[in-house]
Structure formats: structure tokens, C-alpha cells
Amino acid sequence: MAAMAALTLAGAVLASSAVVRGNALDDLERTLRENLQQVSMDSGSFQAGEDLRYYQDGVYTLVYSQSQALLAGQVPAGFPTTGQPFENGVIRTVEEGGQTYYLMDLFYPHGWEDGVWLRGVMEAPRAGRTVNSLLTLGAVVLPAFILLCALGGFWIARRAFRPLDQIIDTAAAIGEGADLTARVEVPRGNREFARLGAAFNQMVERLEAAFEAEKRFTADASHELRTPVAVISGACEYAEKFDETAEERSETMAIIRRQTDRMSALITQLLSMTRLDQGVGEEELEPVDLGALACTVCAETPCQPGRLACAAGPGLWVRGNPPLLARLLQNLIDNALKYSPPDSPVEVGGGREGERVLLWVQDRGPGIPPEHRERIWDRFYQVDPSRAGAGGAGLGLSMVRRIAQLHGGDVRLESVPGLGSRFTLALEAVRPPEEK
Ligand code: ADP
């Protein structure tokens, strides 16, 4: 700002000096030409008209004979009387005693050989009033103005950045104390800071939710693992004290085996969940025929003959990871078989819906009451834990949703209590590999 102000001032000074100089030269020429109108010669001698002004507007007019003798007029004090050759109609500058003079001559001819010289002399105006006031402004007002601007700017900047300070303080507090419940006050008025504040709060909210989910998951996982461990430890204690016959021992062994199987299944599921949390890389995806994959999974699922039917035809191409998609389908099929009566049919079907491939698993089981439909996707959530049977820990559907999300798709549930449930997976369709 200081540099800009100084430049502006310098420009103004230069411009006003040029104007002052231009005005002075105009005055000199105009006065001299007006006086030339007043000159006449009578029988070889110079005659001054009535209106000839020897001094006007700072211009001294001198009249010289052709032999350069001063005939009339007063040479301004300090101006050199000799050594200034005459030049008709040309304005020159003469320096003398630290003063600059403007000089102009006009010749008044008379006859062939006679005539007089009119010489105009004028002191070049020193820095004019405008320049002086500009310089005063530069010297006094400008520093004050810059100081005022700097203080004002500092004050405005501090006020404007206060919300940012608050965001920084909150971020630091969260970092130090890990208090994820803290939120920044979203400033009103300032659009950028309001957006930053809102984005920050949203980020912390998501962090808090993730952190809470993580805590819940750890608590639930340890609880689920602790139950079989407690059963095994109880069975061992009982066997040590009371099991005497080989039959009793083999009963206890069976309990222990069931519980270790349950634990082993749970650990496998937990490991797959962790694996899924890391995401799936683009290089792990390939064209998969979802219809064919579903029928393979059905064929490999042990169940009562004729209970499970695959009506999904081949040619439902999507881009995905075959083992993960097989796991998703297996979880849905296992649930359908597990939660519906042993003799009720389970059907797997598929088709196209616009640009998407749909694949559904339908059962004629008890259905899922509306109040549970949102929560069944949560980890460890079970509608009725007592009905879960061996191996169920409430992780199956959260895995299903996660796998669908990793493939850019979704799963939805339609269910009529008492009539059954239909879980539908929707993924973006791709062209079959050979057509590419
Ligand atoms: P689980 O290991 O208990 O089967 P899931 O995450 O697969 O866990 O399922 C969560 C809950 O949703 C189950 O406990 C069950 O109550 C309900 N559920 C899932 N599938 C069905 C279905 N086909 N019919 C009825 N209820 C179901």
C-alpha cells in the first residue's frame, strides 16, 4: 500500500509539474504575440502601441533593435543581459544563478532590412502550489493514512480470522484429549468459514460415529468370544469333578467341540470383517456372471433336496470379486434356510432392471418386523438372539451390506411378517467379457 501510495503521489507530482510548465509556456507565447500586435515602426524607429505590456502574467517583454540594443523594457533582475542569441519563435530555457528562465523571441520586420526583436523572459515557476500541497500530503497525511490502514487492516483480519482460531483450538483440544463430542461454533455471515466449520463438525461427527462403532464392535466381539470360553471352562470343571464314565466324558467333549466350532466360525467371520474394512482393490475385480455364481452357490449349499431352487439364468454380468460375491450370496441363502421352516422353499432369482443387475433370495419364513429392518444390517444385531442357532452372531447381514457397498451397489429388504422376506442385491450391469 505504501509503495502504491508513493507511486500515485510521484505520478501526481510529475503530472502537475508538467501542467504548470505547460501553462507558463502558454502565457509566455500568448503575451509575446499580443505585444507583437502593438509594435510598429515609424521612419525607422520603434513605436509602442498603447496596449503593449512590458510586464504581464510574469512575462517581461523587452524590445531590441536589429543590432540587439535594448530599446524598451526592463530586464528581470538576475537574468543575463548578454550572451543570449536571438531565435525567432523558439522557446528556450536559460539557467542562471540557480534560477531557470523561459525565453522566447519574435522578430518584427520592417521593410527589407529593418525591424525590431521582441524578447519575452519569464522565470520558470518553481514547484507550484498544487505540487507543494501534494508533497505536504505525501509527507504528513500519507504516513498517517498508511498507519490507519495498517491498524484497520490488522483489526479486520483479526476479526475475520477469529472463527479460524476457534476451529484450530477445537481441533487441538480434540487432538490432545480425544474428546470427539466437541464441536466448533459455525460462524454466521462468513461463507468460507461457515463451510469450513460445518465440514469440520461433519468430519468429527463421522469420526465419533466410527469410533463408537469400533468400541461397540470390540465390546460385542469380546462378549461373543467370552460366552463359548465360559461354557468350555464350566464343562471342563464339571468333568473334572463329576464325569466318571466314558459316556459322560464324550458328552462333555461334544459340548467343548460345539463351542470351539462356534468360536472358530466367529473368529473366521471377524477376520473377514477386518479384511472387508480394508476395502477391495480395482485389480481384485473382474467380470462375474452373477446368475451362474448364484446357481453354483445354491448347488454347493447342503440342504433338504428340492428346498433350494435357483431360477436366476446365466448372463447377469457385473464387475466384482467372485469370492466376496459368493460369500454375500451364501450369507443370504444361509439366513433364508436358517430362519424359515425346514420344509418351506427358498428361491434364488435374478434379472435386469435398466442398467442394473438384480439378484434376490426369497424365503417363506416369518419375515422381519418393520422396527428391526434398519438395524439388522448392524454388526452383532439379531432380531431374536435365542433363535440364531449355532454359528450365528449377527455379523452375516453387515457383511452382505459391506460387500455390496464395496462393489458400488446396494441390498434392499422387502418383507411381509408371516409371509416371508426377499433380500435383493442390485449392482451395475457390465457387458459380457467376449463382447468387449
Ligand atoms: P445372524 O448371524 O444372526 O444370522 P445376520 O446379520 O445374518 O446375523 O442377520 C441378522 C438378523 O436378521 C438375524 O438375527 C435374524 O433375526 C434376521 N434375519 C436375517 N435374515 C432373515 C430372514 N431371511 N428371515 C428372517 N429373519 C432374518
Side-chain angles (χ1 to χ4, degrees), residues 269 331-332 335-336 338-339 363 366-368 376 378 381-384 388 391-398 421 423:
Q269 270 187 320
N331 285 3
L332 291 179
N335 276 355
K338 191 160 69 174
Y339 295 109
D363 64 55
I368 297 171
I376 50 165
D378 292 348
Y381 189 81
Q382 293 178 307
V383 174
D384 180 3
L395 287 174
L397 287 181
S398 70
S421 311
F423 285 87

Side-chain angles (χ1 to χ4, degrees), residues 269 331-340 346 361-369 372 375-400 413 415 420-423:
Q269 270 187 320
N331 285 3
L332 291 179
I333 293 167
D334 285 351
N335 276 355
L337 293 169
K338 191 160 69 174
Y339 295 109
S340 57
V346 169
V361 177
Q362 176 152 12
D363 64 55
R364 303 269 165 82
I368 297 171
H372 294 288
R375 301 208 51 201
I376 50 165
W377 308 101
D378 292 348
R379 290 174 177 182
F380 295 108
Y381 189 81
Q382 293 178 307
V383 174
D384 180 3
S386 60
R387 287 189 57 229
L395 287 174
L397 287 181
S398 70
M399 212 180 282
V400 165
L413 161 69
S415 181
S421 311
R422 176 195 271 224
F423 285 87

Side-chain angles (χ1 to χ4, degrees), residues 17-315:
S17 311
V19 169
V20 168
R21 185 171 184 272
N23 286 345
L25 296 182
D26 283 351
D27 283 349
L28 174 62
E29 186 166 359
R30 183 176 36 78
T31 308
L32 204 60
R33 287 198 188 281
E34 278 170 11
N35 281 341
L36 190 67
Q37 309 287 319
Q38 300 295 321
V39 173
S40 59
M41 299 283 282
D42 186 15
S43 31
S45 64
F46 157 71
Q47 298 290 316
E50 254 180 41
D51 290 334
L52 196 147
R53 301 271 175 265
Y54 289 105
Y55 180 78
Q56 181 180 290
D57 292 339
V59 178
Y60 294 84
T61 301
L62 313 168
V63 184
Y64 286 89
S65 69
Q66 209 179 8
S67 58
Q68 303 185 0
L70 184 63
L71 300 176
Q74 173 85 44
V75 180
F79 186 74
T81 40
T82 54
Q84 305 301 329
F86 285 84
E87 268 184 81
N88 193 17
V90 181
I91 297 180
R92 288 103 72 205
T93 310
V94 175
E95 300 279 347
E96 182 69 33
Q99 171 67 49
T100 307
Y101 296 89
Y102 298 139
L103 183 65
M104 183 179 182
D105 302 318
L106 289 177
F107 185 62
Y108 178 81
H110 183 68
W112 286 107
E113 291 170 359
D114 209 1
V116 287
W117 282 100
L118 236 59
R119 166 164 282 181
V121 179
M122 160 183 223
E123 283 186 10
R126 294 181 191 276
R129 281 232 317 265
T130 332
V131 174
N132 272 342
S133 49
L134 278 173
L135 288 174
T136 317
L137 183 87
V140 182
V141 181
L142 206 64
F145 174 69
I146 290 172
L147 190 71
L148 207 73
C149 285
L151 287 176
F154 181 69
W155 182 75
I156 291 172
R158 264 190 68 123
R159 251 181 78 96
F161 281 99
R162 202 173 296 153
L164 195 62
D165 281 344
Q166 212 228 331
I167 293 176
I168 294 169
D169 289 346
T170 313
I174 289 174
E176 282 162 17
D179 174 18
L180 289 172
T181 54
R183 297 286 182 274
V184 298
E185 211 177 290
V186 175
R188 264 178 291 152
N190 188 319
R191 233 162 53 91
E192 276 70 29
F193 284 142
R195 280 177 53 203
L196 179 65
F200 181 84
N201 281 345
Q202 211 177 347
M203 181 189 80
V204 179
E205 223 155 86
R206 288 202 57 182
L207 269 178
E208 192 186 6
F211 192 65
E212 281 304 313
E214 206 61 45
K215 258 183 13 194
R216 233 183 14 250
F217 179 72
T218 317
D220 289 342
S222 40
H223 173 78
E224 288 296 324
L225 288 170
R226 217 177 283 137
T227 313
V229 171
V231 174
I232 292 171
S233 148
C236 291
E237 234 172 84
Y238 185 88
E240 275 165 8
K241 284 189 193 152
F242 307 110
D243 284 0
E244 281 165 6
T245 62
E247 203 177 311
E248 281 171 336
R249 288 222 175 90
S250 89
E251 243 174 64
T252 308
M253 292 306 273
I255 294 174
I256 293 175
R257 173 159 298 281
R258 265 205 308 280
Q259 294 304 324
T260 48
D261 284 351
R262 187 175 161 193
M263 263 168 67
S264 152
L266 188 62
I267 288 168
T268 311
Q269 270 187 320
L270 287 175
L271 286 177
S272 339
M273 294 295 289
T274 320
R275 156 84 184 75
L276 286 181
D277 281 343
Q278 289 162 3
V280 54
E282 182 60 28
E283 67 287 352
E284 295 173 76
L285 302 179
E286 57 185 80
V288 183
D289 182 348
L290 212 51
L293 183 72
C295 290
T296 313
V297 174
C298 285
E300 288 170 0
T301 305
C303 76
Q304 222 175 300
R307 188 177 170 206
L308 177 61
C310 182

